[in-house]
Every structure is written in C-alpha cells, then in structure tokens.
Amino acid sequence: MLTLRKHLGLASVVRHWRDYYELCKPRVVMLIVFTAMVGMFLATPGMVPLDVLLLGTLGIGLAASSAAAINQLVEQQVDSLMNRTRTRPLPTGHVTPRQAIVFAAILGTASMVILWGYVNPLTAVLTFASLIGYAVIYTVFLKRATPQNIVIGGAAGAAPPVLGWTAVTGSLDPYAGLLFLIIFAWTPPHFWALAIARREEYAKADMPMLPVTHGEAFTRLHVLLYTIILAAVTLLPFATRMSGWIYLAGIIPLNAVFLWYAVRMQRDTGHRLPMRTFGYSIIYLMLLFALLLVDHYVPTA
C-alpha cells in the first residue's frame, strides 16, 4: 500500500510539472528559440561565443514561455470553448490563475535578469518589448479588436531572430531586419490557414478572426496574396547578398510548394487542406532558417 501511495504521489508531481510545461506552449517556443539561434549564428562569420549562445537562448526562451503562459491566462475562457485548446492546464483546472501568474512572473523576471546581466541591455529591452507586444498588446487588445489582429500582432512573433542577432552584436542590423520581415510576412498565411480550419470554433468563442468576420473565401484569397508577398520577401536575403546560391536553390522549391497549397485553397473549400497548409507552413519556416544557416557556413564558389 505504501509503495502504491508513493507511486501515485510521484505520478501526481510529474503530471503537475507537465501542466506547467504545457503552459509554456513548448512547440511554439522551440520554433522561436530555433529562429533566435539562427539569428545568432548569422550575426557572426565565425562561431557564436558559448556564453552568449547558452544564456541568450535561455533568456529568450524563458521570455517566450512567460508570454505563452500569460496568453493562456488571458484566454482561458476562450480556450475552454475550443476543441483544440480545451485540454490546456487552465481550462481543465490543473493550474490555477494565481499559479499561472506567479509562474509567468518568475519566468519573465529570470529572463530579464539573464539577458540584462549576462548578454546585453539592448537584447533585454527588445525581448521585454516583444513579450509585452504578444502577451498584452496582441492577446488583451488586438485579438478581439480587429480581424487584422494577426497581421499587426505578428511583429512580436517576428522578433526572435532579431533578438538572437542583437545578443551577439549588441546592435541592430538591416540583415536582422530581413529575418524579421520574413517571419512577419509568413505569419498571416500560416495562422489564417488554421483559422479557416477552426472557423466554427472561433465563431463560437466570439473571436473576430478574418474567416469569421469576412468569410472563408475572402480569407483564402488573402492567404494566397500574403504567400505571394512571402515568396518575394524570402528572395531578399539572396538579392542583398546576405545569403548565396545554396539558400536560393532551397527557397525556390519551398516557395513553390507553399504557393501550390495557397492556390489549391482557392478551389478546395474543405478544411483538411487548410490544416495541411498550416502544417506545411511550420515545416517551411524551419527549413528556410536551416537553409540560411547552412548557406552561411558552407563555402560556395
């Protein structure tokens, strides 16, 4: 009996910490951290100093996790109405609002201490601005104020590679701006594809996403238009000689597939294709930044 109680107690602790882990939106944070790390490597012709790589990545990751926790805290009622999010820690009651606030505050404070004290003040300030931009300006105000919420709020999500760049150099650079612009242009077709697939859930939650306010056909058209913009923007690293032929050879087929999805969505009115487009958009961004990284370090004639 004692062994059983110990086993149940351990299982409870593991489940409890798993709830906090899920509060951080780990898959989203992993993508954020990856793009930030690529920004670090692109900022220098050699290797990134180990202390900057480790502490900068940790600080940016903690800030992103704090913002994710605040986002879930603010949207717990909406999350409880949607199938995709109803099993999150707050709607299920596994984590209380008070616990979520304390957890987010600890992560955010730790992030600022690390970035300001051990990386550089500019990175700390920009990271704090992106945290406020996502967790407060986007989540609290923009998301319910306008169907263009994801376009305006996308600036916060586009910051990580810039943060990685400044962590290494301590200054802003036009090339870091290109990385920002790529994610900024990527965000609308990425998120609107999901919004189309989840239109009924967003409508039930009274969330003014573009498919709810302007209809699916209008949103599908904008997915295509923004994908065309994205394809043009992703050619800028090659055009400005930030990247070379390896990047160009990889980004062209990646863009072709994304455009193929976007064009197909104009005729296919089902919800399976938008979800596939959403899934591809995540792979697309990861491969794009991987191409930038490979091109940066592999010499070409």
Side-chain angles (χ1 to χ4, degrees):
M1 181 64 72
L2 183 59
T3 303
L4 179 59
R5 287 178 179 175
K6 288 183 178 180
H7 177 74
L8 292 175
L10 180 61
S12 177
V13 170
V14 171
R15 186 188 66 191
H16 197 56
W17 282 107
R18 185 179 295 275
D19 289 329
Y20 281 104
Y21 176 73
E22 292 299 327
L23 202 61
C24 297
K25 294 187 179 180
R27 286 178 292 184
V28 175
V29 170
M30 286 177 189
L31 185 58
I32 288 172
V33 167
F34 174 66
T35 59
M37 290 176 66
V38 173
M40 291 180 187
F41 285 107
L42 294 181
T44 175
M47 292 303 295
V48 178
L50 185 59
D51 59 335
V52 174
L53 178 62
L54 295 178
L55 295 174
T57 299
L58 178 61
I60 293 168
L62 288 173
S65 298
S66 176
I70 296 172
N71 172 266
Q72 290 194 50
L73 176 66
V74 173
E75 296 194 330
Q76 58 181 308
Q77 185 174 0
V78 173
D79 286 346
S80 67
L81 300 174
M82 302 178 65
N83 292 331
R84 182 174 66 92
T85 56
R86 66 196 314 170
T87 59
R88 284 177 172 175
L90 282 161
T92 58
H94 293 166
V95 174
T96 67
R98 182 188 177 108
Q99 289 171 329
I101 292 172
V102 172
F103 182 63
I106 292 172
L107 294 182
T109 302
S111 168
M112 292 302 103
V113 169
I114 292 170
L115 293 177
W116 187 282
Y118 300 97
V119 181
N120 59 65
L122 178 61
T123 303
V125 170
L126 293 177
T127 301
F128 182 74
S130 66
L131 189 158
I132 296 299
Y134 176 75
V136 179
I137 297 175
Y138 167 69
T139 302
V140 177
F141 298 106
L142 287 178
K143 201 164 186 179
R144 287 192 172 276
T146 170
Q148 293 295 321
N149 46 26
I150 198 63
V151 178
I152 305 170
V162 179
L163 304 179
W165 195 291
T166 61
V168 174
T169 65
S171 62
L172 293 169
D173 187 277
Y175 283 150
L178 285 184
L179 301 178
F180 173 93
L181 193 58
I182 287 171
I183 300 182
F184 185 75
W186 166 86
T187 302
H190 159 73
F191 199 86
W192 280 336
L194 174 65
I196 291 171
R198 305 296 186 186
R199 179 186 178 278
E200 293 182 1
E201 294 186 21
Y202 281 116
K204 181 181 178 182
D206 195 29
M207 189 70 68
M209 303 305 294
L210 196 63
V212 176
T213 60
H214 290 69
E216 289 190 19
F218 184 85
T219 308
R220 290 172 188 271
L221 175 60
H222 277 67
V223 168
L224 175 60
L225 294 176
Y226 271 93
T227 304
I228 294 172
I229 293 172
L230 174 64
V233 167
T234 55
L235 296 179
L236 291 178
F238 178 78
T240 59
R241 297 187 179 182
M242 174 185 178
S243 298
W245 292 100
I246 292 176
Y247 171 76
L248 183 66
I251 197 58
I252 289 176
L254 284 177
N255 281 333
V257 174
F258 209 152
L259 286 166
W260 177 77
Y261 274 112
V263 170
R264 278 193 62 195
M265 282 179 60
Q266 307 310 302
R267 300 189 300 269
D268 188 331
T269 58
H271 285 176
R272 292 183 63 184
L273 184 59
M275 280 304 299
R276 289 176 60 190
T277 305
F278 171 75
Y280 174 74
S281 69
I282 298 173
I283 298 172
Y284 169 92
L285 190 67
M286 293 178 63
L287 292 178
L288 184 154
F289 273 80
L291 279 171
L292 286 168
L293 187 59
V294 171
D295 183 276
H296 184 66
Y297 283 108
V298 175
T300 57

